[in-house]
């Protein structure tokens, strides 16, 4: 069994779903410390010039775990997000297939960041046709941290293989995996190009950029970036 683990991000990029697609179980690491100015509360979409941020405003205290971070719903951020998506993607070939879901999601008031992130991730997983099962680390009542926490998650799930992002080479204690009988593999991903709404390809957009333009072909395009 292959397990991959990642923090729940906001409308993640293609490589996030490539890792999920290679896994049997994908764990949302929702009970570790929230990191400001990363991808947990924001991502990029195309616009007529180049790209723009979609950022969810949050209220948080330093050291707070992701699943306790509140959304600042005193602003009209959700209206801005759906309007930006509609303005930039309404003419995309497959936008209408998903428009109702996005409209309904942004109309709801979400108390916690992790809730809307997980909601989007589950939908995008289904829309892409990815079969991996998603679980949350917060359901496991683990007390360890760092690499040992990842090893313990894998052990709980009876994993034979842990698929790490490429950045894991810089910080993982690899011997902890081998000592637990778990093979450690690293994702190798080169961003594929595809036809976007606007001319001039911009990589590293949210996966919705691909989904709205490529529809059912999206998962095949994601897999094109997978390096053997």
């Amino acid at each position: 069994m292959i397990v991959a683990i990642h923090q729940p991000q906001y409308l993640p990029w293609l490589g996030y779903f490539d890792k999920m697609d290679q896994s049997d179980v994908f764990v949302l690491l929702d009970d570790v410390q929230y990191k400001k100015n990363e991808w947990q509360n924001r991502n990029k979409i195309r616009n007529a010039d180049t790209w723009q941020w979609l950022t969810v405003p949050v209220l948080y205290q330093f050291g707070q775990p992701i699943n306790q971070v509140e959304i600042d719903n005193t602003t009209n951020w959700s209206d801005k997000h759906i309007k930006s998506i509609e303005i930039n993607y309404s003419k995309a070939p497959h936008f209408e297939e998903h428009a109702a879901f996005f409209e309904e999601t942004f109309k709801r008031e979400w108390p916690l960041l992790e809730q809307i992130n997980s909601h989007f991730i589950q939908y995008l997983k289904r829309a892409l046709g990815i079969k991996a099962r998603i679980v949350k680390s917060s359901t496991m009542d683990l007390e360890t941290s760092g690499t040992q926490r990842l090893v313990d998650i894998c052990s709980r799930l009876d994993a034979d293989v842990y698929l790490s992002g490429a950045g894991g080479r810089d910080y993982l204690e690899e011997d902890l995996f081998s000592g637990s009988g778990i093979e450690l593999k690293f994702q190798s991903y080169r961003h594929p190009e595809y036809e976007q709404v606007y001319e001039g390809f911009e990589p590293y957009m949210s996966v919705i950029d691909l989904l709205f333009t490529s529809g059912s072909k999206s998962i095949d395009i994601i897999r094109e970036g997978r390096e053997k």
Side-chain angles (χ1 to χ4, degrees):
M1 176 186 287
I2 301 173
V3 168
I5 303 171
H6 210 296
Q7 294 92 338
Q9 294 183 345
Y10 183 66
L11 299 174
W13 77 297
L14 278 63
Y16 191 97
F17 290 97
D18 170 69
K19 191 161 70 164
M20 184 186 296
D21 185 50
Q22 294 187 65
S23 308
D24 297 300
V25 180
F26 189 83
V27 179
L28 295 177
L29 194 64
D30 64 333
D31 55 355
V32 296
Q33 183 176 331
Y34 172 80
K35 293 184 178 180
K36 184 180 179 181
N37 297 329
E38 290 201 0
W39 302 99
Q40 291 153 29
N41 73 317
R42 64 179 185 172
N43 225 301
K44 299 176 180 180
I45 62 168
R46 278 301 309 265
N47 62 23
D49 296 321
T50 51
W51 56 267
Q52 68 185 72
W53 287 110
L54 294 182
T55 302
V56 181
V58 296
L59 305 168
Y60 79 100
Q61 300 175 355
F62 180 77
Q64 197 170 32
I66 296 168
N67 61 1
Q68 293 180 18
V69 173
E70 296 181 7
I71 295 176
D72 183 0
N73 284 310
T74 62
T75 70
N76 64 344
W77 69 271
S78 57
D79 287 341
K80 291 179 179 178
H81 284 210
I82 190 59
K83 286 177 182 176
S84 293
I85 289 172
E86 288 175 345
I87 288 169
N88 291 295
Y89 293 107
S90 61
K91 295 182 180 180
H94 301 278
F95 175 76
E96 288 300 326
E97 298 169 25
H98 307 282
F101 167 80
F102 280 86
E103 289 174 6
E104 188 277 331
T105 298
F106 283 118
K107 283 180 181 178
R108 294 170 59 179
E109 184 167 309
W110 299 88
L112 300 176
L113 177 65
E114 180 276 326
Q115 292 174 334
I116 191 170
N117 284 1
S118 296
H119 185 69
F120 275 132
I121 289 167
Q122 290 278 11
Y123 177 83
L124 292 166
K125 165 190 170 301
R126 295 192 299 271
L128 292 167
I130 294 174
K131 300 186 184 303
R133 178 167 63 96
I134 293 179
V135 300
K136 296 181 181 181
S137 60
S138 57
T139 64
M140 298 182 183
D141 297 321
L142 299 170
E143 298 182 358
T144 49
S145 60
T147 300
Q148 188 60 56
R149 188 179 192 82
L150 304 180
V151 171
D152 290 345
I153 290 172
C154 290
S155 296
R156 289 279 187 95
L157 295 169
D158 296 322
D160 305 303
V161 176
Y162 173 58
L163 178 61
S164 169
R169 297 181 189 276
D170 299 330
Y171 63 85
L172 290 177
E173 299 175 68
E174 298 187 22
D175 59 315
L176 294 181
F177 287 96
S178 58
S180 296
I182 300 167
E183 182 181 358
L184 177 59
K185 292 186 176 181
F186 293 95
Q187 180 189 29
S188 182
Y189 195 72
R190 184 186 298 273
H191 202 297
E193 290 194 15
Y194 54 90
E195 186 174 351
Q196 294 178 323
V197 176
Y198 303 106
E199 293 185 5
F201 184 74
E202 288 286 343
Y204 307 110
M205 300 296 104
S206 164
V207 76
I208 67 173
D209 182 77
L210 173 65
L211 184 64
F212 293 158
T213 56
S214 302
S216 61
K217 297 179 181 177
S218 296
I219 191 61
D220 293 328
I221 294 170
I222 289 173
R223 290 168 181 163
E224 288 175 8
R226 192 176 302 170
E227 296 184 317
K228 303 299 182 180

